[in-house]
Amino acid sequence: MTLQVLLVDDQALVRAGIRSLLELSGSICVKHECADGQQALDWLAAHSSDAVDAVLMDIRMPVLDGIKTLQAMRELDTSPPVLMLTTFDEHQLVLDAVKSGAKGYLLKDVSLETLVAAVNDVASGKTFIQPAITERLLTGIANNPPADIEEQSLIEPLSNKEQEILRLMAAGCSNREIAVSMFKSEGTIKNQVSSILGKLGVRDRTRAVLKSIELGLI
């Protein structure tokens, strides 16, 4: 089945490049393009909630940027998952994007293989954060900690094994890859990941990684 995406970027050449790359994959096509967040909101409002499987959106645009567009999309009855695709990698932008509802975050210099994997993940309800961004988050937050970092806390401490799993999650490993690395069954790892999410008080893997970075756990 071919996945359909809405592409939102203010640069026409960038949109053309991304469209061409996705067409090469043979499994993803661009159904519609928008030059800013307001155009995207108008298009989504005029079409059914399942018009596209995912949205690929730049974070910095005129008229309405990616963060404000994400926040406005929350008010729609239903909206497709959003994958932020940008040249900017400031850690605060990543945090703001995920807190505003983004399901993934990629730099525009990623390979076609990574881009396709990310679109497939968010379209299927998963989250995706590029390991390279995780590394930059660690550096950025270490140098400029969020103002509210001291107010954040764990619901329950993580075990040594859970911390190890969390580090592998931050490296972009899937449950299967973690299971192989730790000589455990995939089902066991899935249960432990669920436990980690509960202790961190988050809904998904991306938020788990981001919060663990903010708390200095990894």
Side-chain angles (χ1 to χ4, degrees), residues 63-139:
V63 184
L64 198 65
D65 63 30
I67 301 296
K68 291 179 181 177
T69 303
L70 276 167
Q71 293 168 347
M73 286 176 67
R74 283 181 170 182
E75 300 178 9
L76 299 175
D77 291 337
T78 55
S79 59
V82 176
L83 176 62
M84 304 303 289
L85 186 62
T86 180
T87 57
F88 299 94
D89 59 344
E90 294 94 337
H91 70 275
Q92 191 57 54
L93 287 178
V94 180
L95 295 173
D96 289 345
V98 175
K99 289 176 181 177
S100 296
K103 294 300 183 183
Y105 199 106
L106 289 175
L107 299 178
K108 287 181 179 176
D109 62 358
V110 297
S111 66
L112 173 59
E113 181 182 6
T114 300
L115 176 58
V116 170
V119 171
N120 276 282
D121 276 359
V122 300
S124 64
K126 301 177 183 177
T127 57
F128 190 101
I129 185 166
Q130 190 179 357
I133 292 179
T134 302
E135 294 175 9
R136 296 178 195 191
L137 273 173
L138 286 167
T139 302

Side-chain angles (χ1 to χ4, degrees), residues 111-197:
S111 66
L112 173 59
E113 181 182 6
T114 300
L115 176 58
V116 170
V119 171
N120 276 282
D121 276 359
V122 300
S124 64
K126 301 177 183 177
T127 57
F128 190 101
I129 185 166
Q130 190 179 357
I133 292 179
T134 302
E135 294 175 9
R136 296 178 195 191
L137 273 173
L138 286 167
T139 302
I141 289 177
N143 294 333
N144 298 285
D148 62 347
I149 191 168
E150 293 184 359
E151 299 176 5
Q152 303 183 53
S153 61
L154 284 169
I155 294 175
E156 184 181 343
L158 298 179
S159 67
N160 291 336
K161 191 67 66 177
E162 287 171 335
Q163 289 186 44
E164 185 178 351
I165 292 172
L166 192 54
R167 284 190 288 271
L168 291 170
M169 288 167 57
C173 296
S174 66
N175 286 351
R176 178 172 297 180
E177 291 168 333
I178 295 173
V180 171
S181 174
M182 299 185 68
F183 304 102
K184 300 285 186 180
S185 70
E186 190 173 349
T188 296
I189 297 301
K190 183 177 180 180
N191 290 336
Q192 289 180 307
V193 169
S194 295
S195 174
I196 291 169
L197 298 185

